Short mmCIF file of all heavy atoms in Angstrom, two decimals:
data_model
loop_
_atom_site.label_atom_id
_atom_site.label_comp_id
_atom_site.label_asym_id
_atom_site.label_seq_id
_atom_site.Cartn_x
_atom_site.Cartn_y
_atom_site.Cartn_z
N VAL A 1178 0.83 -1.21 0.00
CA VAL A 1178 0.00 0.00 0.00
C VAL A 1178 0.86 1.25 0.00
O VAL A 1178 2.02 1.24 0.42
CB VAL A 1178 -0.95 0.03 1.23
CG1 VAL A 1178 -1.84 -1.19 1.27
CG2 VAL A 1178 -0.16 0.15 2.52
N ARG A 1179 0.27 2.33 -0.48
CA ARG A 1179 0.88 3.66 -0.44
C ARG A 1179 -0.10 4.60 0.24
O ARG A 1179 -1.26 4.71 -0.16
CB ARG A 1179 1.18 4.14 -1.86
CG ARG A 1179 1.82 5.53 -1.94
CD ARG A 1179 3.19 5.59 -1.28
NE ARG A 1179 4.08 4.57 -1.82
CZ ARG A 1179 4.84 4.75 -2.90
NH1 ARG A 1179 4.80 5.89 -3.57
NH2 ARG A 1179 5.65 3.79 -3.30
N HIS A 1180 0.36 5.26 1.31
CA HIS A 1180 -0.49 6.19 2.05
C HIS A 1180 -0.15 7.62 1.65
O HIS A 1180 1.02 7.96 1.42
CB HIS A 1180 -0.27 6.02 3.56
CG HIS A 1180 -0.77 4.72 4.10
ND1 HIS A 1180 0.07 3.63 4.31
CD2 HIS A 1180 -2.01 4.32 4.45
CE1 HIS A 1180 -0.63 2.62 4.77
NE2 HIS A 1180 -1.90 3.00 4.87
N PHE A 1181 -1.19 8.45 1.57
CA PHE A 1181 -1.02 9.86 1.23
C PHE A 1181 -1.25 10.72 2.47
O PHE A 1181 -1.92 10.30 3.42
CB PHE A 1181 -1.98 10.25 0.11
CG PHE A 1181 -1.69 9.55 -1.19
CD1 PHE A 1181 -2.26 8.31 -1.47
CD2 PHE A 1181 -0.85 10.11 -2.13
CE1 PHE A 1181 -1.99 7.65 -2.65
CE2 PHE A 1181 -0.57 9.47 -3.33
CZ PHE A 1181 -1.14 8.23 -3.59
N ALA A 1182 -0.70 11.91 2.43
CA ALA A 1182 -0.74 12.79 3.61
C ALA A 1182 -2.15 13.14 4.04
O ALA A 1182 -2.41 13.38 5.22
CB ALA A 1182 0.06 14.07 3.32
N ASP A 1183 -3.09 13.16 3.09
CA ASP A 1183 -4.47 13.54 3.44
C ASP A 1183 -5.31 12.35 3.90
O ASP A 1183 -6.53 12.47 4.08
CB ASP A 1183 -5.13 14.24 2.25
CG ASP A 1183 -5.24 13.34 1.02
OD1 ASP A 1183 -4.82 12.17 1.10
OD2 ASP A 1183 -5.72 13.82 -0.02
N GLY A 1184 -4.67 11.19 4.08
CA GLY A 1184 -5.40 10.03 4.59
C GLY A 1184 -5.83 9.03 3.52
O GLY A 1184 -6.28 7.93 3.85
N ARG A 1185 -5.70 9.41 2.24
CA ARG A 1185 -6.05 8.46 1.19
C ARG A 1185 -5.04 7.33 1.12
O ARG A 1185 -3.91 7.45 1.59
CB ARG A 1185 -6.12 9.17 -0.17
CG ARG A 1185 -7.30 10.12 -0.32
CD ARG A 1185 -7.23 10.84 -1.65
NE ARG A 1185 -6.01 11.65 -1.75
CZ ARG A 1185 -5.55 12.16 -2.89
NH1 ARG A 1185 -6.19 11.92 -4.03
NH2 ARG A 1185 -4.46 12.90 -2.88
N ARG A 1186 -5.47 6.22 0.51
CA ARG A 1186 -4.62 5.04 0.41
C ARG A 1186 -4.81 4.38 -0.95
O ARG A 1186 -5.93 4.32 -1.46
CB ARG A 1186 -4.98 4.04 1.52
CG ARG A 1186 -4.20 2.74 1.49
CD ARG A 1186 -4.63 1.80 2.60
NE ARG A 1186 -5.93 1.20 2.36
CZ ARG A 1186 -6.43 0.18 3.04
NH1 ARG A 1186 -5.74 -0.33 4.05
NH2 ARG A 1186 -7.62 -0.31 2.76
N GLN A 1187 -3.72 3.94 -1.54
CA GLN A 1187 -3.80 3.14 -2.76
C GLN A 1187 -3.26 1.74 -2.46
O GLN A 1187 -2.13 1.59 -2.01
CB GLN A 1187 -2.96 3.77 -3.88
CG GLN A 1187 -2.95 2.96 -5.17
CD GLN A 1187 -4.31 2.92 -5.86
OE1 GLN A 1187 -4.95 3.95 -6.00
NE2 GLN A 1187 -4.73 1.73 -6.28
N ILE A 1188 -4.10 0.73 -2.68
CA ILE A 1188 -3.62 -0.64 -2.60
C ILE A 1188 -2.99 -0.96 -3.94
O ILE A 1188 -3.67 -1.05 -4.96
CB ILE A 1188 -4.77 -1.62 -2.27
CG1 ILE A 1188 -5.26 -1.35 -0.84
CG2 ILE A 1188 -4.32 -3.06 -2.45
CD1 ILE A 1188 -6.41 -2.25 -0.41
N GLU A 1189 -1.67 -1.14 -3.95
CA GLU A 1189 -0.94 -1.31 -5.19
C GLU A 1189 -0.93 -2.75 -5.67
O GLU A 1189 -0.86 -3.01 -6.88
CB GLU A 1189 0.50 -0.81 -5.00
CG GLU A 1189 0.56 0.69 -4.65
CD GLU A 1189 1.94 1.16 -4.29
OE1 GLU A 1189 2.64 0.43 -3.54
OE2 GLU A 1189 2.34 2.23 -4.76
N HIS A 1190 -0.98 -3.69 -4.73
CA HIS A 1190 -0.95 -5.11 -5.11
C HIS A 1190 -1.46 -5.93 -3.93
O HIS A 1190 -1.05 -5.71 -2.79
CB HIS A 1190 0.47 -5.54 -5.47
CG HIS A 1190 0.60 -6.98 -5.85
ND1 HIS A 1190 -0.07 -7.54 -6.92
CD2 HIS A 1190 1.30 -8.00 -5.28
CE1 HIS A 1190 0.24 -8.82 -7.01
NE2 HIS A 1190 1.06 -9.13 -6.02
N VAL A 1191 -2.34 -6.87 -4.21
CA VAL A 1191 -2.89 -7.74 -3.18
C VAL A 1191 -2.02 -9.00 -3.06
O VAL A 1191 -1.68 -9.62 -4.07
CB VAL A 1191 -4.34 -8.14 -3.49
CG1 VAL A 1191 -4.87 -9.12 -2.45
CG2 VAL A 1191 -5.23 -6.90 -3.56
N LEU A 1192 -1.64 -9.33 -1.84
CA LEU A 1192 -0.86 -10.54 -1.56
C LEU A 1192 -1.80 -11.63 -1.09
O LEU A 1192 -2.63 -11.40 -0.20
CB LEU A 1192 0.21 -10.25 -0.51
CG LEU A 1192 1.28 -9.23 -0.91
CD1 LEU A 1192 2.08 -8.81 0.31
CD2 LEU A 1192 2.20 -9.80 -1.97
N LEU A 1193 -1.64 -12.82 -1.65
CA LEU A 1193 -2.52 -13.95 -1.37
C LEU A 1193 -1.75 -15.07 -0.69
O LEU A 1193 -0.51 -15.08 -0.70
CB LEU A 1193 -3.14 -14.45 -2.68
CG LEU A 1193 -3.91 -13.43 -3.51
CD1 LEU A 1193 -4.37 -14.06 -4.82
CD2 LEU A 1193 -5.10 -12.88 -2.72
N PRO A 1194 -2.45 -16.03 -0.08
CA PRO A 1194 -1.76 -17.16 0.57
C PRO A 1194 -0.75 -17.82 -0.37
O PRO A 1194 -1.05 -18.10 -1.53
CB PRO A 1194 -2.90 -18.10 0.93
CG PRO A 1194 -4.06 -17.19 1.16
CD PRO A 1194 -3.91 -16.10 0.13
N GLY A 1195 0.45 -18.03 0.15
CA GLY A 1195 1.53 -18.61 -0.63
C GLY A 1195 2.52 -17.60 -1.16
O GLY A 1195 3.62 -17.96 -1.59
N ASP A 1196 2.15 -16.31 -1.14
CA ASP A 1196 3.04 -15.28 -1.69
C ASP A 1196 4.15 -14.92 -0.70
O ASP A 1196 3.87 -14.65 0.47
CB ASP A 1196 2.26 -14.00 -2.01
CG ASP A 1196 1.48 -14.10 -3.31
OD1 ASP A 1196 1.78 -15.00 -4.12
OD2 ASP A 1196 0.58 -13.27 -3.52
N PRO A 1197 5.41 -14.87 -1.17
CA PRO A 1197 6.48 -14.30 -0.33
C PRO A 1197 6.26 -12.79 -0.17
O PRO A 1197 5.67 -12.14 -1.03
CB PRO A 1197 7.75 -14.59 -1.14
CG PRO A 1197 7.37 -15.65 -2.12
CD PRO A 1197 5.92 -15.41 -2.44
N LEU A 1198 6.76 -12.25 0.93
CA LEU A 1198 6.67 -10.81 1.14
C LEU A 1198 7.84 -10.05 0.52
O LEU A 1198 7.62 -9.06 -0.16
CB LEU A 1198 6.57 -10.48 2.64
CG LEU A 1198 5.40 -11.08 3.42
CD1 LEU A 1198 5.33 -10.43 4.80
CD2 LEU A 1198 4.08 -10.89 2.69
N PRO A 1199 9.10 -10.47 0.76
CA PRO A 1199 10.21 -9.69 0.19
C PRO A 1199 10.43 -10.00 -1.27
O PRO A 1199 10.00 -11.04 -1.79
CB PRO A 1199 11.42 -10.14 1.04
CG PRO A 1199 11.09 -11.53 1.45
CD PRO A 1199 9.58 -11.56 1.63
N PHE A 1200 11.11 -9.08 -1.95
CA PHE A 1200 11.50 -9.28 -3.34
C PHE A 1200 12.99 -9.62 -3.46
O PHE A 1200 13.41 -10.24 -4.42
CB PHE A 1200 11.19 -8.03 -4.17
CG PHE A 1200 9.73 -7.73 -4.23
CD1 PHE A 1200 9.21 -6.59 -3.65
CD2 PHE A 1200 8.85 -8.59 -4.88
CE1 PHE A 1200 7.85 -6.31 -3.72
CE2 PHE A 1200 7.50 -8.33 -4.95
CZ PHE A 1200 7.00 -7.18 -4.36
N GLU A 1201 13.78 -9.18 -2.50
CA GLU A 1201 15.20 -9.49 -2.46
C GLU A 1201 15.60 -9.75 -1.02
O GLU A 1201 15.05 -9.15 -0.09
CB GLU A 1201 16.04 -8.34 -3.01
CG GLU A 1201 15.87 -8.03 -4.48
CD GLU A 1201 16.78 -6.89 -4.92
OE1 GLU A 1201 18.01 -7.11 -5.02
OE2 GLU A 1201 16.27 -5.78 -5.13
N ARG A 1202 16.58 -10.64 -0.85
CA ARG A 1202 17.03 -10.97 0.50
C ARG A 1202 17.77 -9.79 1.14
O ARG A 1202 17.47 -9.40 2.26
CB ARG A 1202 17.95 -12.19 0.44
CG ARG A 1202 18.47 -12.65 1.80
CD ARG A 1202 19.62 -13.61 1.60
NE ARG A 1202 19.19 -14.79 0.85
CZ ARG A 1202 18.63 -15.86 1.41
NH1 ARG A 1202 18.46 -15.90 2.71
NH2 ARG A 1202 18.29 -16.90 0.68
N GLU A 1203 18.75 -9.25 0.45
CA GLU A 1203 19.57 -8.16 0.99
C GLU A 1203 19.04 -6.83 0.47
O GLU A 1203 19.67 -6.15 -0.32
CB GLU A 1203 21.04 -8.36 0.59
CG GLU A 1203 21.63 -9.69 1.01
CD GLU A 1203 21.72 -9.83 2.53
OE1 GLU A 1203 21.80 -8.80 3.22
OE2 GLU A 1203 21.71 -10.98 3.01
N ALA A 1204 17.85 -6.46 0.90
CA ALA A 1204 17.23 -5.23 0.40
C ALA A 1204 16.28 -4.71 1.47
O ALA A 1204 16.27 -5.17 2.61
CB ALA A 1204 16.49 -5.50 -0.92
N SER A 1205 15.47 -3.73 1.09
CA SER A 1205 14.45 -3.20 1.98
C SER A 1205 13.10 -3.35 1.29
O SER A 1205 13.03 -3.55 0.07
CB SER A 1205 14.72 -1.74 2.32
OG SER A 1205 14.79 -0.97 1.13
N TYR A 1206 12.04 -3.26 2.07
CA TYR A 1206 10.70 -3.38 1.49
C TYR A 1206 10.39 -2.13 0.67
O TYR A 1206 10.52 -1.02 1.17
CB TYR A 1206 9.67 -3.57 2.59
CG TYR A 1206 9.72 -4.94 3.22
CD1 TYR A 1206 10.36 -5.16 4.43
CD2 TYR A 1206 9.13 -6.03 2.58
CE1 TYR A 1206 10.42 -6.42 5.00
CE2 TYR A 1206 9.18 -7.30 3.15
CZ TYR A 1206 9.82 -7.49 4.36
OH TYR A 1206 9.88 -8.74 4.91
N PRO A 1207 9.96 -2.30 -0.60
CA PRO A 1207 9.70 -1.14 -1.46
C PRO A 1207 8.38 -0.45 -1.16
O PRO A 1207 8.11 0.64 -1.69
CB PRO A 1207 9.67 -1.75 -2.86
CG PRO A 1207 9.18 -3.15 -2.63
CD PRO A 1207 9.74 -3.58 -1.30
N ALA A 1208 7.54 -1.06 -0.35
CA ALA A 1208 6.25 -0.47 0.00
C ALA A 1208 5.84 -0.99 1.36
O ALA A 1208 6.35 -2.02 1.84
CB ALA A 1208 5.19 -0.83 -1.04
N THR A 1209 4.94 -0.29 2.00
CA THR A 1209 4.39 -0.77 3.26
C THR A 1209 3.45 -1.94 2.99
O THR A 1209 2.69 -1.93 2.02
CB THR A 1209 3.63 0.37 3.96
OG1 THR A 1209 4.58 1.41 4.29
CG2 THR A 1209 2.98 -0.10 5.26
N ILE A 1210 3.53 -2.96 3.85
CA ILE A 1210 2.67 -4.14 3.72
C ILE A 1210 1.71 -4.16 4.89
O ILE A 1210 2.12 -4.10 6.06
CB ILE A 1210 3.50 -5.43 3.68
CG1 ILE A 1210 4.51 -5.39 2.53
CG2 ILE A 1210 2.59 -6.64 3.53
CD1 ILE A 1210 5.42 -6.59 2.46
N VAL A 1211 0.42 -4.23 4.58
CA VAL A 1211 -0.64 -4.18 5.59
C VAL A 1211 -1.48 -5.45 5.49
O VAL A 1211 -1.78 -5.93 4.39
CB VAL A 1211 -1.52 -2.94 5.39
CG1 VAL A 1211 -2.72 -2.97 6.33
CG2 VAL A 1211 -0.72 -1.67 5.61
N ALA A 1212 -1.86 -6.00 6.64
CA ALA A 1212 -2.77 -7.15 6.66
C ALA A 1212 -4.19 -6.66 6.36
O ALA A 1212 -4.72 -5.82 7.08
CB ALA A 1212 -2.72 -7.83 8.03
N LEU A 1213 -4.79 -7.18 5.30
CA LEU A 1213 -6.18 -6.84 4.99
C LEU A 1213 -7.15 -7.68 5.79
O LEU A 1213 -8.30 -7.29 6.01
CB LEU A 1213 -6.44 -7.04 3.49
CG LEU A 1213 -5.57 -6.19 2.54
CD1 LEU A 1213 -5.93 -6.51 1.09
CD2 LEU A 1213 -5.73 -4.70 2.82
N THR A 1214 -6.71 -8.86 6.19
CA THR A 1214 -7.45 -9.77 7.06
C THR A 1214 -6.47 -10.27 8.11
O THR A 1214 -5.27 -9.99 8.00
CB THR A 1214 -8.00 -10.97 6.27
OG1 THR A 1214 -6.88 -11.82 5.89
CG2 THR A 1214 -8.75 -10.55 5.02
N PRO A 1215 -6.91 -11.01 9.11
CA PRO A 1215 -5.93 -11.67 9.96
C PRO A 1215 -5.04 -12.59 9.11
O PRO A 1215 -5.55 -13.31 8.25
CB PRO A 1215 -6.79 -12.48 10.94
CG PRO A 1215 -8.11 -11.77 10.95
CD PRO A 1215 -8.30 -11.25 9.56
N VAL A 1216 -3.73 -12.53 9.31
CA VAL A 1216 -2.82 -13.32 8.49
C VAL A 1216 -1.89 -14.17 9.36
O VAL A 1216 -1.63 -13.86 10.53
CB VAL A 1216 -1.97 -12.44 7.55
CG1 VAL A 1216 -2.84 -11.57 6.67
CG2 VAL A 1216 -0.99 -11.59 8.33
N THR A 1217 -1.43 -15.24 8.76
CA THR A 1217 -0.41 -16.10 9.36
C THR A 1217 0.79 -16.09 8.44
O THR A 1217 0.67 -16.33 7.23
CB THR A 1217 -0.92 -17.54 9.52
OG1 THR A 1217 -2.11 -17.53 10.31
CG2 THR A 1217 0.13 -18.41 10.21
N LEU A 1218 1.96 -15.83 9.00
CA LEU A 1218 3.20 -15.78 8.24
C LEU A 1218 4.16 -16.84 8.75
O LEU A 1218 4.18 -17.15 9.95
CB LEU A 1218 3.87 -14.40 8.39
CG LEU A 1218 3.05 -13.18 7.98
CD1 LEU A 1218 3.67 -11.93 8.57
CD2 LEU A 1218 2.97 -13.07 6.48
N ILE A 1219 4.97 -17.39 7.85
CA ILE A 1219 6.06 -18.26 8.27
C ILE A 1219 7.34 -17.77 7.61
O ILE A 1219 7.32 -17.20 6.52
CB ILE A 1219 5.82 -19.73 7.92
CG1 ILE A 1219 5.72 -19.94 6.40
CG2 ILE A 1219 4.60 -20.28 8.63
CD1 ILE A 1219 5.79 -21.40 6.00
N ASP A 1220 8.46 -17.98 8.31
CA ASP A 1220 9.77 -17.60 7.79
C ASP A 1220 10.40 -18.85 7.18
O ASP A 1220 10.71 -19.81 7.88
CB ASP A 1220 10.64 -17.06 8.92
CG ASP A 1220 11.98 -16.54 8.42
OD1 ASP A 1220 12.22 -16.55 7.19
OD2 ASP A 1220 12.81 -16.13 9.26
N LEU A 1221 10.58 -18.83 5.86
CA LEU A 1221 11.12 -19.99 5.17
C LEU A 1221 12.63 -20.12 5.35
O LEU A 1221 13.18 -21.20 5.19
CB LEU A 1221 10.80 -19.90 3.67
CG LEU A 1221 11.05 -21.15 2.84
CD1 LEU A 1221 10.17 -22.29 3.30
CD2 LEU A 1221 10.83 -20.87 1.37
N ASP A 1222 13.29 -19.03 5.68
CA ASP A 1222 14.74 -19.06 5.83
C ASP A 1222 15.12 -19.87 7.07
O ASP A 1222 14.38 -19.89 8.05
CB ASP A 1222 15.29 -17.64 5.95
CG ASP A 1222 16.68 -17.50 5.38
OD1 ASP A 1222 17.23 -18.51 4.91
OD2 ASP A 1222 17.21 -16.38 5.39
N GLY A 1223 16.25 -20.53 7.01
CA GLY A 1223 16.68 -21.30 8.18
C GLY A 1223 17.77 -22.28 7.82
O GLY A 1223 18.16 -22.42 6.65
N PRO A 1224 18.28 -22.99 8.80
CA PRO A 1224 19.40 -23.92 8.56
C PRO A 1224 19.06 -25.10 7.67
O PRO A 1224 19.96 -25.79 7.18
CB PRO A 1224 19.78 -24.39 9.98
CG PRO A 1224 18.53 -24.18 10.79
CD PRO A 1224 17.87 -22.97 10.21
#
């Protein structure tokens, strides 16, 4: 999502079950990510 100073919001892309959140490992998030419903996340990274 992208928030505007006057309170408006644009949902730029909807994330669905199975979608990863990041686009690159060594990077930063290019947009704010908001839960539209209650969500469950898992971290796939690990040993």
Side-chain angles (χ1 to χ4, degrees):
V1178 303
R1179 180 63 54 87
H1180 292 97
F1181 295 88
D1183 62 2
R1185 289 176 299 166
R1186 177 181 74 167
Q1187 178 67 46
I1188 292 179
E1189 298 173 317
H1190 179 61
V1191 177
L1192 296 167
L1193 303 176
D1196 282 343
L1198 301 191
F1200 296 114
E1201 294 181 73
R1202 181 194 300 274
E1203 303 295 334
S1205 57
Y1206 287 100
T1209 296
I1210 302 177
V1211 173
L1213 300 179
T1214 70
V1216 304
T1217 303
L1218 303 163
I1219 62 168
D1220 185 3
L1221 192 63
D1222 211 359

